[in-house]
């Protein structure tokens, strides 16, 4: 007999889905990750949380809403008490979506209740105060995110960011109410709902703020945010008797050749590629060159070096060259060309025996996993910001590290590849 699911999450990219799964696993929740709404099973046993990874962050709004709604309906059919919309801690989105429009669609299928938006991730220096998102000491609009090639974030007030994406009214859950605790949060949110404002941007600066927000929202049918607030849910589920105290089995060690595929143009990814290149071979590809020729050249280059250690193939580039590519092809099309190239390379590398693969970039990770035909991943418990370790059994046994372009230490590439050779509890 299938068990009832506690928590169903819809993530707008794969690296976010991995990060969320890892944090839930670390909290003791038996968590599964599937890729695509179509991969949600009809029945489920021994699972407390099911995370669905989509590629909806920069998808056309109608596609993002349709895929997210389908995933949420399948999660509810499995008994999920709460649907959680996972997005980036920097609230990556456009005026057309896909945060507000998707959240509105998810709420339409649920009983009436407030919906909070909580992207804060204090461990990564992402905080919200009076509705304004800060990246470290900088307002979002003053940070490098203003130059993001796909979702340039030119406003710091998240009410102003979210409002064009939804027909519903958007307000703020102020820090003063958050500091008063879960009961005060619920009273404020329910009063706002009664006055016609169901969506609230949640102020949160410290981990304790996220814990209070989680306590307030754990029984609401729809919640949205980053993985940092969701990390507090498993303990609350255990307190309510919603999940048994059973730990998931650890990931196994994986040997074999290894490689890095870097598609993110984030400054941190480019720093990581440069650091890796100090002691390992790196090949830079122009994603605008014909794909067949680029893939063949890169695979020949890698084949001659894989026996000596890990290699890196990258399409990451400086902002000026990215802007030129976008001007020629359009922002989304230019990104998709790079993702298709790296997806084809991933399939070629795995076909040549690579069994440990690090992929840098959320959209790139989605493209690679799709190209490899992977529909389900086992995820290791969270250990380090920006390092999402997981394993696929089909179509071939493969260890993966799927990382956001903006996160991870500068020297993480080599460390993560080496770490895949050890078991992860």
């Amino acid at each position: 007999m299938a068990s009832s699911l506690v928590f169903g999450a819809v993530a707008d990219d794969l690296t976010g889905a991995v990060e969320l799964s890892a944090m839930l696993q670390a909290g003791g929740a038996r968590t599964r990750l599937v890729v695509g709404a179509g991969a949600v099973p009809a029945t489920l046993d021994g699972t407390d949380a099911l995370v669905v990874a989509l590629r909806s962050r920069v998808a056309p709004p109608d596609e993002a809403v349709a895929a997210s709604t389908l995933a949420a309906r399948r999660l509810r059919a499995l008994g999920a008490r709460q649907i959680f919309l996972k997005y980036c801690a920097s609230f990556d989105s456009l005026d057309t979506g896909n945060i507000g429009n998707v959240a509105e669609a998810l709420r339409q299928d649920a009983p009436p209740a407030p919906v909070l938006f909580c992207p804060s991730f204090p461990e990564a220096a992402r905080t919200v105060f009076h509705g304004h998102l800060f990246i470290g000491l900088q307002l979002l609009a003053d940070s490098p995110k203003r130059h993001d090639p796909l979702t340039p974030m030119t406003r710091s007030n998240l009410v102003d960011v979210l409002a064009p994406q939804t027909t519903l009214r958007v307000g703020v859950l102020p820090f003063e109410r958050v500091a008063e605790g879960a009961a005060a949060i619920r009273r404020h949110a329910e009063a706002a709902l009664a006055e016609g404002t169901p969506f609230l941007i949640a102020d949160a600066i410290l981990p304790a703020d996220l814990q209070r927000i989680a306590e307030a929202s754990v029984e609401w049918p729809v919640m949205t945010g980053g993985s940092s607030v969701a990390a507090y849910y498993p303990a609350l589920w255990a307190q309510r008797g919603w999940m048994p105290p059973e730990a998931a089995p650890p990931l196994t060690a994986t040997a074999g050749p290894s490689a890095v595929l870097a598609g993110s143009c984030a400054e941190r990814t480019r720093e990581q590629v440069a650091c890796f290149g100090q002691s390992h071979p790196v090949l830079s590809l122009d994603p605008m060159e014909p794909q067949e020729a680029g893939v063949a050249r890169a695979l020949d280059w890698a084949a001659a070096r894989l026996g000596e250690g890990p290699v890196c193939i990258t399409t990451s580039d400086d902002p000026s060259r990215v802007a030129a590519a976008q001007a020629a092809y359009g922002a989304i099309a230019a990104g998709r060309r790079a993702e298709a190239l790296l997806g084809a390379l991933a399939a070629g590398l795995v076909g040549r025996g690579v069994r440990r693969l690090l992929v840098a970039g959320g959209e790139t990770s989605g493209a690679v996993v799709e190209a490899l035909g992977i529909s389900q991943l086992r995820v290791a418990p969270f250990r380090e910001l920006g390092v999402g370790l997981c394993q696929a059994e089909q179509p071939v046994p493969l260890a993966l590290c799927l990382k956001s372009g903006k996160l991870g230490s500068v020297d993480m590439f080599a460390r993560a590849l080496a770490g895949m050779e050890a078991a992860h509890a």
Side-chain angles (χ1 to χ4, degrees), residues 155-170:
R155 289 167 291 192
S156 304
N157 186 335
L158 296 189
V159 173
D160 293 341
V161 176
L162 191 64
Q165 303 179 26
T166 175
T167 64
L168 301 179
R169 287 175 60 185
V170 183

Side-chain angles (χ1 to χ4, degrees), residues 68-91:
S68 302
T69 301
L70 175 60
R73 288 175 178 171
R74 292 187 173 185
L75 291 166
R76 288 193 178 102
L78 291 168
R81 294 171 178 265
Q82 182 178 71
I83 300 299
F84 186 89
L85 174 60
K86 162 68 176 72
Y87 42 76
C88 182
S90 47
F91 217 71

